[in-house]
PDB file of all heavy atoms in Angstrom:
ATOM      1  N   ALA A   1     119.891  26.565-127.459  1.00  0.00           N
ATOM      2  CA  ALA A   1     119.062  27.801-127.431  1.00  0.00           C
ATOM      3  C   ALA A   1     117.898  27.658-126.430  1.00  0.00           C
ATOM      4  O   ALA A   1     117.410  28.644-125.881  1.00  0.00           O
ATOM      5  CB  ALA A   1     118.532  28.163-128.776  1.00  0.00           C
ATOM      6  N   ASP A   2     117.438  26.442-126.230  1.00  0.00           N
ATOM      7  CA  ASP A   2     116.285  26.150-125.376  1.00  0.00           C
ATOM      8  C   ASP A   2     116.534  24.832-124.582  1.00  0.00           C
ATOM      9  O   ASP A   2     116.988  23.872-125.206  1.00  0.00           O
ATOM     10  CB  ASP A   2     115.045  26.042-126.232  1.00  0.00           C
ATOM     11  CG  ASP A   2     113.807  25.803-125.408  1.00  0.00           C
ATOM     12  OD1 ASP A   2     113.205  26.788-124.977  1.00  0.00           O
ATOM     13  OD2 ASP A   2     113.442  24.593-125.187  1.00  0.00           O
ATOM     14  N   PRO A   3     116.220  24.834-123.310  1.00  0.00           N
ATOM     15  CA  PRO A   3     116.469  23.625-122.524  1.00  0.00           C
ATOM     16  C   PRO A   3     115.741  22.390-123.064  1.00  0.00           C
ATOM     17  O   PRO A   3     116.192  21.274-122.899  1.00  0.00           O
ATOM     18  CB  PRO A   3     115.932  23.960-121.125  1.00  0.00           C
ATOM     19  CG  PRO A   3     116.058  25.453-121.052  1.00  0.00           C
ATOM     20  CD  PRO A   3     115.816  25.935-122.449  1.00  0.00           C
ATOM     21  N   GLY A   4     114.641  22.609-123.782  1.00  0.00           N
ATOM     22  CA  GLY A   4     113.908  21.481-124.360  1.00  0.00           C
ATOM     23  C   GLY A   4     114.754  20.697-125.370  1.00  0.00           C
ATOM     24  O   GLY A   4     114.447  19.514-125.659  1.00  0.00           O
ATOM     25  N   GLU A   5     115.766  21.342-125.931  1.00  0.00           N
ATOM     26  CA  GLU A   5     116.653  20.643-126.897  1.00  0.00           C
ATOM     27  C   GLU A   5     117.421  19.507-126.236  1.00  0.00           C
ATOM     28  O   GLU A   5     117.952  18.659-126.940  1.00  0.00           O
ATOM     29  CB  GLU A   5     117.614  21.647-127.535  1.00  0.00           C
ATOM     30  CG  GLU A   5     116.955  22.703-128.373  1.00  0.00           C
ATOM     31  CD  GLU A   5     117.971  23.709-128.909  1.00  0.00           C
ATOM     32  OE1 GLU A   5     119.077  23.307-129.305  1.00  0.00           O
ATOM     33  OE2 GLU A   5     117.628  24.912-128.928  1.00  0.00           O
ATOM     34  N   LEU A   6     117.513  19.504-124.942  1.00  0.00           N
ATOM     35  CA  LEU A   6     118.288  18.473-124.271  1.00  0.00           C
ATOM     36  C   LEU A   6     117.555  17.127-124.211  1.00  0.00           C
ATOM     37  O   LEU A   6     118.204  16.077-123.925  1.00  0.00           O
ATOM     38  CB  LEU A   6     118.607  18.924-122.837  1.00  0.00           C
ATOM     39  CG  LEU A   6     119.480  20.128-122.712  1.00  0.00           C
ATOM     40  CD1 LEU A   6     119.667  20.528-121.251  1.00  0.00           C
ATOM     41  CD2 LEU A   6     120.831  19.881-123.343  1.00  0.00           C
ATOM     42  N   GLU A   7     116.301  17.137-124.465  1.00  0.00           N
ATOM     43  CA  GLU A   7     115.510  15.892-124.364  1.00  0.00           C
ATOM     44  C   GLU A   7     116.139  14.742-125.154  1.00  0.00           C
ATOM     45  O   GLU A   7     116.207  13.612-124.698  1.00  0.00           O
ATOM     46  CB  GLU A   7     114.090  16.135-124.821  1.00  0.00           C
ATOM     47  CG  GLU A   7     113.158  14.946-124.615  1.00  0.00           C
ATOM     48  CD  GLU A   7     111.746  15.275-124.980  1.00  0.00           C
ATOM     49  OE1 GLU A   7     111.308  16.403-124.800  1.00  0.00           O
ATOM     50  OE2 GLU A   7     111.093  14.347-125.475  1.00  0.00           O
ATOM     51  N   TRP A   8     116.597  15.068-126.358  1.00  0.00           N
ATOM     52  CA  TRP A   8     117.129  13.971-127.221  1.00  0.00           C
ATOM     53  C   TRP A   8     118.484  13.429-126.727  1.00  0.00           C
ATOM     54  O   TRP A   8     118.966  12.411-127.201  1.00  0.00           O
ATOM     55  CB  TRP A   8     117.201  14.438-128.638  1.00  0.00           C
ATOM     56  CG  TRP A   8     118.195  15.526-128.899  1.00  0.00           C
ATOM     57  CD1 TRP A   8     118.002  16.848-128.830  1.00  0.00           C
ATOM     58  CD2 TRP A   8     119.575  15.347-129.244  1.00  0.00           C
ATOM     59  NE1 TRP A   8     119.149  17.546-129.136  1.00  0.00           N
ATOM     60  CE2 TRP A   8     120.147  16.642-129.374  1.00  0.00           C
ATOM     61  CE3 TRP A   8     120.395  14.258-129.460  1.00  0.00           C
ATOM     62  CZ2 TRP A   8     121.478  16.815-129.694  1.00  0.00           C
ATOM     63  CZ3 TRP A   8     121.733  14.458-129.792  1.00  0.00           C
ATOM     64  CH2 TRP A   8     122.271  15.718-129.917  1.00  0.00           C
ATOM     65  N   LEU A   9     119.158  14.153-125.799  1.00  0.00           N
ATOM     66  CA  LEU A   9     120.426  13.676-125.324  1.00  0.00           C
ATOM     67  C   LEU A   9     120.318  12.449-124.393  1.00  0.00           C
ATOM     68  O   LEU A   9     121.294  11.756-124.212  1.00  0.00           O
ATOM     69  CB  LEU A   9     121.168  14.763-124.516  1.00  0.00           C
ATOM     70  CG  LEU A   9     121.921  15.840-125.328  1.00  0.00           C
ATOM     71  CD1 LEU A   9     122.556  16.827-124.379  1.00  0.00           C
ATOM     72  CD2 LEU A   9     122.940  15.204-126.242  1.00  0.00           C
ATOM     73  N   GLY A  10     119.145  12.205-123.850  1.00  0.00           N
ATOM     74  CA  GLY A  10     118.960  11.067-122.965  1.00  0.00           C
ATOM     75  C   GLY A  10     119.717  11.225-121.657  1.00  0.00           C
ATOM     76  O   GLY A  10     120.354  10.271-121.170  1.00  0.00           O
ATOM     77  N   LEU A  11     119.645  12.418-121.038  1.00  0.00           N
ATOM     78  CA  LEU A  11     120.386  12.664-119.785  1.00  0.00           C
ATOM     79  C   LEU A  11     120.041  11.665-118.681  1.00  0.00           C
ATOM     80  O   LEU A  11     120.906  11.269-117.940  1.00  0.00           O
ATOM     81  CB  LEU A  11     120.132  14.099-119.319  1.00  0.00           C
ATOM     82  CG  LEU A  11     120.749  15.201-120.131  1.00  0.00           C
ATOM     83  CD1 LEU A  11     120.348  16.554-119.601  1.00  0.00           C
ATOM     84  CD2 LEU A  11     122.256  15.036-120.155  1.00  0.00           C
ATOM     85  N   ASP A  12     118.784  11.272-118.629  1.00  0.00           N
ATOM     86  CA  ASP A  12     118.372  10.340-117.595  1.00  0.00           C
ATOM     87  C   ASP A  12     119.163   9.020-117.674  1.00  0.00           C
ATOM     88  O   ASP A  12     119.472   8.384-116.670  1.00  0.00           O
ATOM     89  CB  ASP A  12     116.869  10.007-117.658  1.00  0.00           C
ATOM     90  CG  ASP A  12     116.018  11.208-117.264  1.00  0.00           C
ATOM     91  OD1 ASP A  12     116.574  12.129-116.627  1.00  0.00           O
ATOM     92  OD2 ASP A  12     114.830  11.223-117.638  1.00  0.00           O
ATOM     93  N   GLU A  13     119.509   8.607-118.888  1.00  0.00           N
ATOM     94  CA  GLU A  13     120.243   7.393-119.116  1.00  0.00           C
ATOM     95  C   GLU A  13     121.696   7.500-118.686  1.00  0.00           C
ATOM     96  O   GLU A  13     122.365   6.509-118.437  1.00  0.00           O
ATOM     97  CB  GLU A  13     120.146   6.959-120.582  1.00  0.00           C
ATOM     98  CG  GLU A  13     118.736   6.631-120.996  1.00  0.00           C
ATOM     99  CD  GLU A  13     118.629   6.468-122.493  1.00  0.00           C
ATOM    100  OE1 GLU A  13     119.680   6.280-123.179  1.00  0.00           O
ATOM    101  OE2 GLU A  13     117.494   6.502-123.006  1.00  0.00           O
ATOM    102  N   LEU A  14     122.212   8.748-118.606  1.00  0.00           N
ATOM    103  CA  LEU A  14     123.604   8.973-118.210  1.00  0.00           C
ATOM    104  C   LEU A  14     123.792   8.919-116.707  1.00  0.00           C
ATOM    105  O   LEU A  14     124.903   8.718-116.199  1.00  0.00           O
ATOM    106  CB  LEU A  14     124.088  10.334-118.724  1.00  0.00           C
ATOM    107  CG  LEU A  14     123.987  10.589-120.206  1.00  0.00           C
ATOM    108  CD1 LEU A  14     124.482  11.993-120.537  1.00  0.00           C
ATOM    109  CD2 LEU A  14     124.717   9.552-121.004  1.00  0.00           C
ATOM    110  N   LEU A  15     122.704   9.151-115.954  1.00  0.00           N
ATOM    111  CA  LEU A  15     122.775   9.188-114.523  1.00  0.00           C
ATOM    112  C   LEU A  15     122.860   7.772-113.951  1.00  0.00           C
ATOM    113  O   LEU A  15     122.304   6.843-114.503  1.00  0.00           O
ATOM    114  CB  LEU A  15     121.561   9.880-113.931  1.00  0.00           C
ATOM    115  CG  LEU A  15     121.323  11.328-114.381  1.00  0.00           C
ATOM    116  CD1 LEU A  15     119.983  11.805-113.880  1.00  0.00           C
ATOM    117  CD2 LEU A  15     122.447  12.185-113.854  1.00  0.00           C
ATOM    118  N   GLY A  16     123.579   7.625-112.844  1.00  0.00           N
ATOM    119  CA  GLY A  16     123.652   6.360-112.221  1.00  0.00           C
ATOM    120  C   GLY A  16     124.893   6.221-111.391  1.00  0.00           C
ATOM    121  O   GLY A  16     125.751   7.085-111.411  1.00  0.00           O
ATOM    122  N   ASP A  17     124.992   5.099-110.711  1.00  0.00           N
ATOM    123  CA  ASP A  17     126.162   4.805-109.922  1.00  0.00           C
ATOM    124  C   ASP A  17     127.382   4.819-110.863  1.00  0.00           C
ATOM    125  O   ASP A  17     127.295   4.311-111.993  1.00  0.00           O
ATOM    126  CB  ASP A  17     126.073   3.466-109.243  1.00  0.00           C
ATOM    127  CG  ASP A  17     124.998   3.498-108.149  1.00  0.00           C
ATOM    128  OD1 ASP A  17     124.628   4.575-107.675  1.00  0.00           O
ATOM    129  OD2 ASP A  17     124.537   2.378-107.789  1.00  0.00           O
ATOM    130  N   HIS A  18     128.467   5.339-110.381  1.00  0.00           N
ATOM    131  CA  HIS A  18     129.719   5.353-111.151  1.00  0.00           C
ATOM    132  C   HIS A  18     129.600   6.152-112.474  1.00  0.00           C
ATOM    133  O   HIS A  18     130.255   5.768-113.441  1.00  0.00           O
ATOM    134  CB  HIS A  18     130.261   3.965-111.397  1.00  0.00           C
ATOM    135  CG  HIS A  18     130.471   3.221-110.138  1.00  0.00           C
ATOM    136  ND1 HIS A  18     131.504   3.549-109.267  1.00  0.00           N
ATOM    137  CD2 HIS A  18     129.845   2.182-109.554  1.00  0.00           C
ATOM    138  CE1 HIS A  18     131.441   2.764-108.193  1.00  0.00           C
ATOM    139  NE2 HIS A  18     130.468   1.937-108.347  1.00  0.00           N
ATOM    140  N   SER A  19     128.797   7.196-112.470  1.00  0.00           N
ATOM    141  CA  SER A  19     128.698   8.106-113.610  1.00  0.00           C
ATOM    142  C   SER A  19     129.124   9.512-113.161  1.00  0.00           C
ATOM    143  O   SER A  19     128.564  10.019-112.189  1.00  0.00           O
ATOM    144  CB  SER A  19     127.248   8.186-114.152  1.00  0.00           C
ATOM    145  OG  SER A  19     126.887   6.989-114.799  1.00  0.00           O
ATOM    146  N   LEU A  20     130.072  10.028-113.859  1.00  0.00           N
ATOM    147  CA  LEU A  20     130.523  11.399-113.595  1.00  0.00           C
ATOM    148  C   LEU A  20     130.067  12.273-114.759  1.00  0.00           C
ATOM    149  O   LEU A  20     130.367  11.935-115.913  1.00  0.00           O
ATOM    150  CB  LEU A  20     132.040  11.470-113.450  1.00  0.00           C
ATOM    151  CG  LEU A  20     132.678  12.871-113.282  1.00  0.00           C
ATOM    152  CD1 LEU A  20     132.164  13.503-111.988  1.00  0.00           C
ATOM    153  CD2 LEU A  20     134.158  12.801-113.325  1.00  0.00           C
ATOM    154  N   ILE A  21     129.362  13.331-114.446  1.00  0.00           N
ATOM    155  CA  ILE A  21     128.857  14.220-115.488  1.00  0.00           C
ATOM    156  C   ILE A  21     129.398  15.623-115.238  1.00  0.00           C
ATOM    157  O   ILE A  21     129.215  16.206-114.210  1.00  0.00           O
ATOM    158  CB  ILE A  21     127.319  14.238-115.489  1.00  0.00           C
ATOM    159  CG1 ILE A  21     126.812  12.792-115.702  1.00  0.00           C
ATOM    160  CG2 ILE A  21     126.784  15.163-116.543  1.00  0.00           C
ATOM    161  CD1 ILE A  21     125.297  12.629-115.615  1.00  0.00           C
ATOM    162  N   LEU A  22     130.114  16.137-116.279  1.00  0.00           N
ATOM    163  CA  LEU A  22     130.658  17.492-116.245  1.00  0.00           C
ATOM    164  C   LEU A  22     129.869  18.309-117.225  1.00  0.00           C
ATOM    165  O   LEU A  22     129.742  17.932-118.397  1.00  0.00           O
ATOM    166  CB  LEU A  22     132.129  17.490-116.706  1.00  0.00           C
ATOM    167  CG  LEU A  22     133.080  16.557-115.979  1.00  0.00           C
ATOM    168  CD1 LEU A  22     134.419  16.558-116.692  1.00  0.00           C
ATOM    169  CD2 LEU A  22     133.218  16.962-114.556  1.00  0.00           C
ATOM    170  N   ILE A  23     129.276  19.442-116.787  1.00  0.00           N
ATOM    171  CA  ILE A  23     128.416  20.217-117.654  1.00  0.00           C
ATOM    172  C   ILE A  23     128.919  21.666-117.707  1.00  0.00           C
ATOM    173  O   ILE A  23     128.895  22.405-116.723  1.00  0.00           O
ATOM    174  CB  ILE A  23     126.979  20.204-117.176  1.00  0.00           C
ATOM    175  CG1 ILE A  23     126.449  18.761-117.044  1.00  0.00           C
ATOM    176  CG2 ILE A  23     126.087  21.017-118.112  1.00  0.00           C
ATOM    177  CD1 ILE A  23     125.079  18.634-116.418  1.00  0.00           C
ATOM    178  N   GLU A  24     129.397  22.039-118.919  1.00  0.00           N
ATOM    179  CA  GLU A  24     129.747  23.447-119.192  1.00  0.00           C
ATOM    180  C   GLU A  24     128.500  24.168-119.665  1.00  0.00           C
ATOM    181  O   GLU A  24     127.683  23.600-120.372  1.00  0.00           O
ATOM    182  CB  GLU A  24     130.845  23.520-120.249  1.00  0.00           C
ATOM    183  CG  GLU A  24     132.142  22.885-119.847  1.00  0.00           C
ATOM    184  CD  GLU A  24     133.205  23.077-120.886  1.00  0.00           C
ATOM    185  OE1 GLU A  24     133.326  24.224-121.435  1.00  0.00           O
ATOM    186  OE2 GLU A  24     133.930  22.138-121.186  1.00  0.00           O
ATOM    187  N   TRP A  25     128.365  25.433-119.242  1.00  0.00           N
ATOM    188  CA  TRP A  25     127.206  26.268-119.587  1.00  0.00           C
ATOM    189  C   TRP A  25     125.908  25.660-119.073  1.00  0.00           C
ATOM    190  O   TRP A  25     124.929  25.599-119.800  1.00  0.00           O
ATOM    191  CB  TRP A  25     127.142  26.517-121.111  1.00  0.00           C
ATOM    192  CG  TRP A  25     128.336  27.212-121.661  1.00  0.00           C
ATOM    193  CD1 TRP A  25     129.388  26.609-122.249  1.00  0.00           C
ATOM    194  CD2 TRP A  25     128.592  28.626-121.628  1.00  0.00           C
ATOM    195  NE1 TRP A  25     130.314  27.567-122.603  1.00  0.00           N
ATOM    196  CE2 TRP A  25     129.847  28.820-122.256  1.00  0.00           C
ATOM    197  CE3 TRP A  25     127.890  29.728-121.156  1.00  0.00           C
ATOM    198  CZ2 TRP A  25     130.426  30.067-122.418  1.00  0.00           C
ATOM    199  CZ3 TRP A  25     128.473  30.989-121.325  1.00  0.00           C
ATOM    200  CH2 TRP A  25     129.729  31.135-121.932  1.00  0.00           C
ATOM    201  N   PRO A  26     125.832  25.222-117.815  1.00  0.00           N
ATOM    202  CA  PRO A  26     124.621  24.605-117.313  1.00  0.00           C
ATOM    203  C   PRO A  26     123.424  25.560-117.260  1.00  0.00           C
ATOM    204  O   PRO A  26     122.286  25.089-117.304  1.00  0.00           O
ATOM    205  CB  PRO A  26     124.998  24.144-115.891  1.00  0.00           C
ATOM    206  CG  PRO A  26     126.120  25.043-115.514  1.00  0.00           C
ATOM    207  CD  PRO A  26     126.865  25.304-116.788  1.00  0.00           C
ATOM    208  N   GLU A  27     123.669  26.846-117.218  1.00  0.00           N
ATOM    209  CA  GLU A  27     122.566  27.789-117.196  1.00  0.00           C
ATOM    210  C   GLU A  27     121.696  27.708-118.464  1.00  0.00           C
ATOM    211  O   GLU A  27     120.493  28.029-118.407  1.00  0.00           O
ATOM    212  CB  GLU A  27     123.085  29.214-116.979  1.00  0.00           C
ATOM    213  CG  GLU A  27     123.983  29.758-118.114  1.00  0.00           C
ATOM    214  CD  GLU A  27     125.442  29.433-117.936  1.00  0.00           C
ATOM    215  OE1 GLU A  27     125.814  28.453-117.255  1.00  0.00           O
ATOM    216  OE2 GLU A  27     126.279  30.208-118.507  1.00  0.00           O
ATOM    217  N   ARG A  28     122.220  27.124-119.511  1.00  0.00           N
ATOM    218  CA  ARG A  28     121.432  26.971-120.742  1.00  0.00           C
ATOM    219  C   ARG A  28     120.545  25.741-120.704  1.00  0.00           C
ATOM    220  O   ARG A  28     119.667  25.605-121.547  1.00  0.00           O
ATOM    221  CB  ARG A  28     122.366  26.931-121.961  1.00  0.00           C
ATOM    222  CG  ARG A  28     123.105  28.262-122.095  1.00  0.00           C
ATOM    223  CD  ARG A  28     123.948  28.303-123.302  1.00  0.00           C
ATOM    224  NE  ARG A  28     124.645  29.596-123.352  1.00  0.00           N
ATOM    225  CZ  ARG A  28     124.663  30.378-124.376  1.00  0.00           C
ATOM    226  NH1 ARG A  28     124.035  30.042-125.467  1.00  0.00           N
ATOM    227  NH2 ARG A  28     125.351  31.526-124.321  1.00  0.00           N
ATOM    228  N   GLY A  29     120.807  24.850-119.764  1.00  0.00           N
ATOM    229  CA  GLY A  29     119.978  23.666-119.615  1.00  0.00           C
ATOM    230  C   GLY A  29     118.812  23.805-118.681  1.00  0.00           C
ATOM    231  O   GLY A  29     117.910  22.979-118.673  1.00  0.00           O
ATOM    232  N   GLY A  30     118.809  24.834-117.892  1.00  0.00           N
ATOM    233  CA  GLY A  30     117.713  25.103-116.949  1.00  0.00           C
ATOM    234  C   GLY A  30     117.380  23.928-116.102  1.00  0.00           C
ATOM    235  O   GLY A  30     118.232  23.174-115.632  1.00  0.00           O
ATOM    236  N   SER A  31     116.066  23.716-115.883  1.00  0.00           N
ATOM    237  CA  SER A  31     115.590  22.672-114.984  1.00  0.00           C
ATOM    238  C   SER A  31     115.668  21.286-115.623  1.00  0.00           C
ATOM    239  O   SER A  31     115.353  20.304-114.970  1.00  0.00           O
ATOM    240  CB  SER A  31     114.167  22.976-114.557  1.00  0.00           C
ATOM    241  OG  SER A  31     113.308  22.951-115.700  1.00  0.00           O
ATOM    242  N   GLU A  32     116.101  21.208-116.849  1.00  0.00           N
ATOM    243  CA  GLU A  32     116.228  19.911-117.505  1.00  0.00           C
ATOM    244  C   GLU A  32     117.503  19.131-117.054  1.00  0.00           C
ATOM    245  O   GLU A  32     117.611  17.952-117.306  1.00  0.00           O
ATOM    246  CB  GLU A  32     116.358  20.099-119.056  1.00  0.00           C
ATOM    247  CG  GLU A  32     115.129  20.741-119.682  1.00  0.00           C
ATOM    248  CD  GLU A  32     113.891  19.902-119.569  1.00  0.00           C
ATOM    249  OE1 GLU A  32     113.962  18.672-119.740  1.00  0.00           O
ATOM    250  OE2 GLU A  32     112.829  20.493-119.241  1.00  0.00           O
ATOM    251  N   LEU A  33     118.365  19.839-116.339  1.00  0.00           N
ATOM    252  CA  LEU A  33     119.609  19.203-115.887  1.00  0.00           C
ATOM    253  C   LEU A  33     119.469  18.608-114.490  1.00  0.00           C
ATOM    254  O   LEU A  33     118.742  19.169-113.650  1.00  0.00           O
ATOM    255  CB  LEU A  33     120.753  20.250-115.872  1.00  0.00           C
ATOM    256  CG  LEU A  33     121.138  20.790-117.233  1.00  0.00           C
ATOM    257  CD1 LEU A  33     122.252  21.845-117.065  1.00  0.00           C
ATOM    258  CD2 LEU A  33     121.642  19.661-118.150  1.00  0.00           C
ATOM    259  N   PRO A  34     120.231  17.580-114.199  1.00  0.00           N
ATOM    260  CA  PRO A  34     120.273  17.049-112.867  1.00  0.00           C
ATOM    261  C   PRO A  34     120.993  18.029-111.916  1.00  0.00           C
ATOM    262  O   PRO A  34     121.858  18.797-112.368  1.00  0.00           O
ATOM    263  CB  PRO A  34     121.077  15.754-112.989  1.00  0.00           C
ATOM    264  CG  PRO A  34     121.923  15.930-114.242  1.00  0.00           C
ATOM    265  CD  PRO A  34     121.107  16.832-115.143  1.00  0.00           C
ATOM    266  N   ALA A  35     120.591  18.025-110.674  1.00  0.00           N
ATOM    267  CA  ALA A  35     121.208  18.946-109.685  1.00  0.00           C
ATOM    268  C   ALA A  35     122.690  18.553-109.522  1.00  0.00           C
ATOM    269  O   ALA A  35     123.057  17.377-109.508  1.00  0.00           O
ATOM    270  CB  ALA A  35     120.504  18.804-108.361  1.00  0.00           C
ATOM    271  N   PRO A  36     123.537  19.554-109.393  1.00  0.00           N
ATOM    272  CA  PRO A  36     124.966  19.286-109.226  1.00  0.00           C
ATOM    273  C   PRO A  36     125.342  18.942-107.795  1.00  0.00           C
ATOM    274  O   PRO A  36     124.675  19.350-106.833  1.00  0.00           O
ATOM    275  CB  PRO A  36     125.626  20.605-109.631  1.00  0.00           C
ATOM    276  CG  PRO A  36     124.610  21.637-109.196  1.00  0.00           C
ATOM    277  CD  PRO A  36     123.283  21.012-109.464  1.00  0.00           C
ATOM    278  N   ASP A  37     126.427  18.207-107.661  1.00  0.00           N
ATOM    279  CA  ASP A  37     127.074  17.994-106.373  1.00  0.00           C
ATOM    280  C   ASP A  37     128.006  19.141-106.073  1.00  0.00           C
ATOM    281  O   ASP A  37     128.255  19.526-104.919  1.00  0.00           O
ATOM    282  CB  ASP A  37     127.861  16.686-106.371  1.00  0.00           C
ATOM    283  CG  ASP A  37     126.969  15.488-106.505  1.00  0.00           C
ATOM    284  OD1 ASP A  37     126.116  15.261-105.615  1.00  0.00           O
ATOM    285  OD2 ASP A  37     127.050  14.791-107.563  1.00  0.00           O
ATOM    286  N   LEU A  38     128.581  19.726-107.159  1.00  0.00           N
ATOM    287  CA  LEU A  38     129.580  20.783-107.029  1.00  0.00           C
ATOM    288  C   LEU A  38     129.400  21.762-108.183  1.00  0.00           C
ATOM    289  O   LEU A  38     129.194  21.363-109.315  1.00  0.00           O
ATOM    290  CB  LEU A  38     130.981  20.155-107.078  1.00  0.00           C
ATOM    291  CG  LEU A  38     132.154  20.998-106.629  1.00  0.00           C
ATOM    292  CD1 LEU A  38     132.072  21.267-105.133  1.00  0.00           C
ATOM    293  CD2 LEU A  38     133.481  20.274-106.945  1.00  0.00           C
ATOM    294  N   ILE A  39     129.451  23.056-107.822  1.00  0.00           N
ATOM    295  CA  ILE A  39     129.438  24.134-108.810  1.00  0.00           C
ATOM    296  C   ILE A  39     130.814  24.784-108.802  1.00  0.00           C
ATOM    297  O   ILE A  39     131.318  25.141-107.728  1.00  0.00           O
ATOM    298  CB  ILE A  39     128.356  25.168-108.504  1.00  0.00           C
ATOM    299  CG1 ILE A  39     126.970  24.599-108.741  1.00  0.00           C
ATOM    300  CG2 ILE A  39     128.565  26.409-109.372  1.00  0.00           C
ATOM    301  CD1 ILE A  39     125.830  25.535-108.391  1.00  0.00           C
ATOM    302  N   LEU A  40     131.378  24.958-109.998  1.00  0.00           N
ATOM    303  CA  LEU A  40     132.627  25.668-110.134  1.00  0.00           C
ATOM    304  C   LEU A  40     132.357  26.901-110.985  1.00  0.00           C
ATOM    305  O   LEU A  40     131.814  26.768-112.116  1.00  0.00           O
ATOM    306  CB  LEU A  40     133.684  24.825-110.837  1.00  0.00           C
ATOM    307  CG  LEU A  40     134.048  23.507-110.143  1.00  0.00           C
ATOM    308  CD1 LEU A  40     135.098  22.744-110.950  1.00  0.00           C
ATOM    309  CD2 LEU A  40     134.569  23.760-108.771  1.00  0.00           C
TER     310      LEU A  40
END
């Protein structure tokens, strides 16, 4: 419901070399999400 809810997911810890992140409904994450390489 609010991008602030993503804080507890630890998204920063998921980022890194050899990490693939697929995000459905990214519009709900707002600026809390990492920038995409590809939008579908």
Side-chain angles (χ1 to χ4, degrees):
D2 181 88
E5 295 177 40
L6 296 177
E7 185 176 327
W8 67 271
L9 279 180
L11 289 176
D12 291 342
E13 297 170 17
L14 304 179
L15 300 172
D17 293 340
H18 301 290
S19 290
L20 176 63
I21 302 174
L22 307 172
I23 305 173
E24 295 185 43
W25 300 96
E27 62 272 26
R28 296 183 182 231
S31 63
E32 298 296 318
L33 294 177
D37 295 296
L38 196 66
I39 290 177
L40 302 179

